Amino acid sequence: MTPDENEGDEYPVENTAERAVEARAGEDAARPATQPVAQPATQPVAQPAGRTADRAPSHPEQRPPTLLRVLLERLNWAKFAVFDVQFSLAARRAAKEYGNSRVGNVSVSRITFKRWLAGTQSPQGDAATVLAYMLGVEVDLLLQRVPSREVVPARLPHGSSLATARSMDALWSSSSLSPSEAAAGTGGLWYLDGLRIFDGTAVPAQMYEATSQDDVVSIAVEENPHLRAFVQPARRALLIASLGGSGGEGLFVLDSARARYQLDADPRGTLPIPKPYRLDDLTFGIVWAMLNLEDSLLADDHILDSERRELESHLAMPRSAVARSAVPELSRVGAAWLGSYFCALHIERHLGDVTEPPFFWTREQTGEEGAAWLFFRHKHEHLARAMARRTDTSQRPGHAFCIPERSVKESEPYERILLFLAVALMEMHGLAVWVCAEEEYSQIDEFVLAPDDRVIVANWLRSDGIWRVGITDQRSQVRTYTQAIDHARAHSVIDGPTSAHRLRALADYLAIDWPWLLRRCQELGAYGSSGMLRPRSRLLSMDQLDEVLRFVGELDPK
């Protein structure tokens, strides 16, 4: 609707409250003197046999609000004084945009405004034009009734709890937490930014005050109404419990799915959260990596399923490369998963029936890159199949990394912990890990050196495309890759006779507090990380993460 179409409108705009009062007075005068004024019924309405009224008969059933009222309340414009200002501003903007100065002079009386909100009077003429321009919704829709839902507001967290939440953003650069709801019923939000591979994500998160009780922190029963409303939707969400209100310290995190199960099992009880789920560099790294990987893979699920069905033609070729532009709709994580998945298939196909242990070289230098080993289900299966090839268990295959000091210095502690756990996963499965630090080795292809003097190249990480794979038995090329393995083994910065020695050296190289790490891995491994964060994507698993946490937790702290 445009202003020009309204020139002949027979419904004039009410510009003053007096005009509305006069109109109402005229209506009253037109009513016959003998006509009674309607009064509420004093007798209950008859009910069918066997039923009782849902509410007291003297109270009429409340009608759902109009869309206009809902929108204005969300904008905090439902008070006439505020609405009047916003309406006048919108009228001037509309007049300028439509080239009709008359529209800029439109105003609305308080009584008319109330009738609009109640849905008993429809905006007409220029007023309708301005209102539609102001809210971006046609007037006939604004006057329609909309379903309403009960909103349970959350309690405002204690000041010290909010301060602790804000400090997390300073501690972890990829975190931005708004732990309390901006509007009743909306919940807070936790932004988790990606760095090099992750796309970044955001998860609903709500903070609650808790008290410390033995090995758990407990959210009080009084919070259950809001807790139930917050965890009921099937979407991923996190509960963050704080001890700030009770004089304690720390924030503790729990998956909403786990909370929903516990509330259903004990509707009248407190909600306990294990103390090992305390947010620190270990648990934040897990939450950050898992949610980033999962949200991107869920967004790409249909595309990845379709692309995976088309891989056989590429696997039949000894050399293959796919550009990133071939599947532009994939997220960065989705492209990484597809590349990693294809490379694992390529390696296994060309290893054939090899029973002697091969040597592996992979390109992970940061926790973001190493997270694939901790969470990608196909990586776990690939690792298990590779180790199952051994006929002589006394022979340990080797796995080499190049992790330059620059990468260590540029990574935050939670990322370095993720990288440590990825290396510990290799050691747990029987691989001896070597780490060289020379920068010039960081660009070497990801490859497997087979015992029959063949090299299987399988690049997906820090690659221009989704993958680039090949196989060669040319002596000059095999010699180059063999020298890289020999260098890593001879100059490893984590050299040691056992897994414990090598992992202790790795923790020192990555500047991770060894006793603290072992204690936290032991605590979290005992409870299992899946209670804190349950996977939703079929492409991910936390089983190996829990195993490696227990493996590290059992190492000697000395």
Side-chain angles (χ1 to χ4, degrees):
M1 181 185 297
T2 64
D4 294 337
E5 295 171 341
N6 299 328
E7 288 185 357
D9 203 314
E10 61 180 357
Y11 297 95
V13 177
E14 298 180 86
N15 291 305
T16 65
E18 289 78 12
R19 187 174 303 174
V21 171
E22 290 172 4
R24 180 61 179 269
E27 293 171 5
D28 293 341
R31 184 183 299 120
T34 58
Q35 181 177 345
V37 178
Q39 298 292 333
T42 57
Q43 297 297 324
V45 179
Q47 297 292 330
R51 294 183 57 185
T52 57
D54 293 333
R55 51 175 58 85
S58 59
H59 297 285
E61 184 174 351
Q62 187 176 5
R63 301 178 69 190
T66 60
L67 177 60
L68 174 61
R69 177 182 287 277
V70 171
L71 292 178
L72 293 182
E73 287 178 349
R74 288 180 183 175
L75 294 168
N76 292 321
W77 294 354
K79 293 184 177 180
F80 177 72
V82 179
F83 173 84
D84 191 39
V85 172
Q86 297 298 331
F87 189 85
S88 297
L89 293 173
R92 290 196 289 270
R93 289 195 298 267
K96 183 177 181 180
E97 182 168 330
Y98 295 146
N100 188 335
S101 59
R102 187 188 71 246
V103 174
N105 297 322
V106 173
S107 62
V108 177
S109 72
R110 184 184 299 272
I111 292 178
T112 298
F113 172 66
K114 290 183 177 179
R115 291 174 179 171
W116 286 0
L117 286 185
T120 59
Q121 180 176 325
S122 176
Q124 302 292 336
D126 291 338
T129 300
V130 174
L131 189 63
Y133 176 85
M134 175 181 173
L135 297 175
V137 180
E138 292 295 331
V139 170
D140 58 342
L141 294 178
L142 288 173
L143 272 294
Q144 290 185 10
R145 304 285 173 177
V146 295
S148 60
R149 66 184 181 93
E150 182 181 357
V151 175
V152 182
R155 297 184 181 184
L156 184 66
H158 191 273
S160 62
S161 298
L162 293 174
T164 302
R166 286 191 289 269
S167 70
M168 289 171 48
D169 298 344
L171 186 61
W172 304 309
S173 64
S174 57
S175 167
S176 178
L177 175 62
S178 299
S180 57
E181 49 193 18
T186 60
L189 203 60
W190 195 359
Y191 292 93
L192 300 168
D193 298 332
L195 300 176
R196 310 159 198 86
I197 298 177
F198 295 168
D199 301 280
T201 190
V203 59
Q206 182 63 46
M207 177 179 285
Y208 299 93
E209 293 297 329
T211 55
S212 177
Q213 298 176 350
D214 298 326
D215 59 346
V216 301
V217 298
S218 296
I219 300 175
V221 176
E222 289 75 16
E223 299 282 9
N224 280 6
H226 187 274
L227 275 170
R228 287 188 171 279
F230 182 70
V231 305
Q232 187 59 42
R235 52 81 169 108
R236 164 83 73 188
L238 297 177
L239 279 64
I240 299 176
S242 171
L243 297 177
S246 58
E249 296 181 352
L251 301 177
F252 304 81
V253 65
L254 186 70
D255 193 309
S256 63
R258 181 67 180 177
R260 184 164 56 246
Y261 166 78
Q262 292 182 199
L263 288 171
D264 288 342
D266 187 8
R268 298 183 179 180
T270 60
L271 179 64
I273 300 178
K275 287 184 177 178
Y277 294 169
R278 177 172 181 154
L279 276 173
D280 54 21
D281 286 326
L282 173 62
T283 49
F284 173 76
I286 293 171
V287 169
W288 172 75
M290 179 65 180
L291 293 186
N292 265 286
L293 292 172
E294 180 176 76
D295 284 357
S296 293
L297 291 179
L298 287 174
D300 291 342
D301 186 71
H302 184 75
I303 304 171
L304 289 173
D305 184 61
S306 176
E307 291 296 324
R308 186 165 57 172
R309 297 171 188 272
E310 304 297 327
L311 294 181
E312 188 58 39
S313 59
H314 294 282
L315 287 170
M317 298 183 291
R319 291 179 177 80
S320 174
V322 172
R324 181 70 178 84
S325 58
V327 196
E329 61 269 35
L330 277 179
S331 65
R332 287 188 293 180
V333 168
W337 183 91
L338 185 61
S340 172
Y341 179 75
F342 180 82
C343 286
L345 295 178
H346 172 77
I347 291 170
E348 290 175 16
R349 171 168 290 205
H350 290 284
L351 276 178
D353 298 327
V354 168
T355 56
E356 296 180 39
F359 295 103
F360 300 86
W361 179 291
T362 56
R363 307 182 75 187
E364 293 81 10
Q365 296 181 1
T366 66
E368 191 177 30
E369 296 171 346
W373 285 106
L374 296 174
F375 299 103
F376 283 180
R377 186 183 296 275
H378 72 266
K379 299 287 270 188
H380 305 159
E381 296 168 352
H382 169 62
L383 190 57
R385 286 192 292 266
M387 299 310 297
R389 292 176 178 274
R390 292 186 301 168
T391 56
D392 184 356
T393 56
S394 65
Q395 294 181 298
R396 286 178 68 95
H399 194 125
F401 294 87
C402 175
I403 307 176
E405 291 184 7
R406 170 188 54 81
S407 296
V408 176
K409 292 178 180 178
E410 293 177 355
S411 297
E412 294 184 36
Y414 69 90
E415 252 208 297
R416 300 200 296 271
I417 290 173
L418 288 173
L419 182 59
F420 174 90
L421 292 175
V423 173
L425 181 69
M426 311 293 178
E427 290 281 356
M428 182 183 75
H429 280 278
L431 287 153
V433 177
W434 313 303
V435 175
C436 68
E438 290 78 11
E439 191 80 39
E440 58 268 26
Y441 285 89
S442 62
Q443 297 304 317
I444 289 180
D445 293 325
E446 189 162 324
F447 67 92
V448 176
L449 181 60
D452 55 358
D453 292 330
R454 289 180 303 128
V455 171
I456 305 168
V457 176
N459 274 328
W460 65 274
L461 191 57
R462 300 198 309 277
S463 175
D464 293 335
I466 296 178
W467 73 71
R468 181 175 61 82
V469 302
I471 184 169
T472 182
D473 57 2
Q474 294 184 13
R475 288 187 178 182
S476 60
Q477 295 180 356
V478 172
R479 186 181 305 113
T480 299
Y481 291 112
T482 302
Q483 289 173 349
I485 290 286
D486 291 342
H487 174 86
R489 180 161 43 185
H491 299 87
S492 177
V493 297
I494 64 167
D495 187 37
T498 65
S499 292
H501 285 87
R502 290 188 289 271
L503 292 176
R504 172 63 189 268
L506 178 62
D508 292 341
Y509 181 67
L510 297 177
I512 301 173
D513 185 328
W514 180 247
W516 172 87
L517 179 64
L518 265 57
R519 175 176 56 81
R520 287 295 287 125
C521 286
Q522 184 181 51
E523 292 172 350
L524 190 56
Y527 274 87
S529 60
S530 59
M532 178 182 72
L533 202 64
R534 188 187 68 175
R536 303 176 78 202
S537 170
R538 58 198 168 89
L539 304 179
L540 300 175
S541 171
M542 299 182 74
D543 293 344
Q544 289 293 292
L545 173 65
D546 285 339
E547 285 195 31
V548 78
L549 287 172
R550 290 188 283 269
F551 172 74
V552 173
E554 293 173 357
L555 297 176
D556 188 349
K558 297 180 181 180

